[in-house]
Amino acid sequence: MSDHHEHHGHHEHAEEAPHSSFKGYMIGFVASVILTAIPFWMVMSDVLDSRNATILIILGFAVVQIVVHMIYFLHMDFQSQGGWTMLSLIFTVVLLFITLFGSLWVMYHMNVNMMPSMMGGADGMP
């Protein structure tokens, strides 16, 4: 009888509802396309005069698109698997921060610390 209960408990786990439906995937897909097309249009049509404002708006769209991907495609929420999803999100954000800002820091310092003779092009050649 205990085998029957164990099997029944395992069987219930196998019949859980899917993480998402076709409708959920299509909502995520359409949102991703829109969140990609609008920044593309902004850059190609030169909508804003300020380059910095355009960059900030594109970064905002990128953050929203990351959230859309996390919800609709990665099925991340705050309640699944006892908090492990949130821990993996925090780890990903920290890793992304280190990678992006570390790369920007390296590129900036390589540019600043370049030899002056290399900056002049053909005129700086001895």
Side-chain angles (χ1 to χ4, degrees):
M1 188 160 172
S2 66
D3 289 338
H4 177 68
H5 289 293
E6 288 176 21
H7 178 68
H8 183 65
H10 179 66
H11 189 64
E12 284 180 14
H13 181 68
E15 289 182 2
E16 286 182 5
H19 288 290
S20 187
S21 63
F22 180 74
K23 180 182 176 184
Y25 283 118
M26 289 308 296
I27 290 170
F29 175 73
V30 170
S32 296
V33 168
I34 290 170
L35 291 169
T36 301
I38 292 173
F40 182 78
W41 166 75
M42 287 179 64
V43 170
M44 295 306 290
S45 299
D46 203 22
V47 174
L48 299 176
D49 294 331
S50 172
R51 182 173 184 245
N52 290 337
T54 303
I55 290 171
L56 288 175
I57 291 173
I58 290 173
L59 286 175
F61 274 98
V63 169
V64 172
Q65 190 165 108
I66 288 170
V67 171
V68 166
H69 281 253
M70 287 172 41
I71 292 171
Y72 288 101
F73 300 123
L74 298 176
H75 313 294
M76 293 179 79
D77 58 9
F78 296 109
Q79 298 164 358
S80 68
Q81 299 173 1
W84 280 107
T85 303
M86 184 54 67
L87 187 62
S88 66
L89 174 63
I90 292 169
F91 175 74
T92 303
V93 168
V94 168
L95 196 62
L96 184 65
F97 178 82
I98 290 170
T99 303
L100 285 176
F101 287 100
S103 298
L104 290 173
W105 180 77
V106 167
M107 288 187 285
Y108 172 77
H109 283 285
M110 286 181 68
N111 185 37
V112 168
N113 296 322
M114 256 185 170
M115 293 175 41
S117 63
M118 293 178 72
M119 297 295 286
D123 297 336
M125 298 293 284

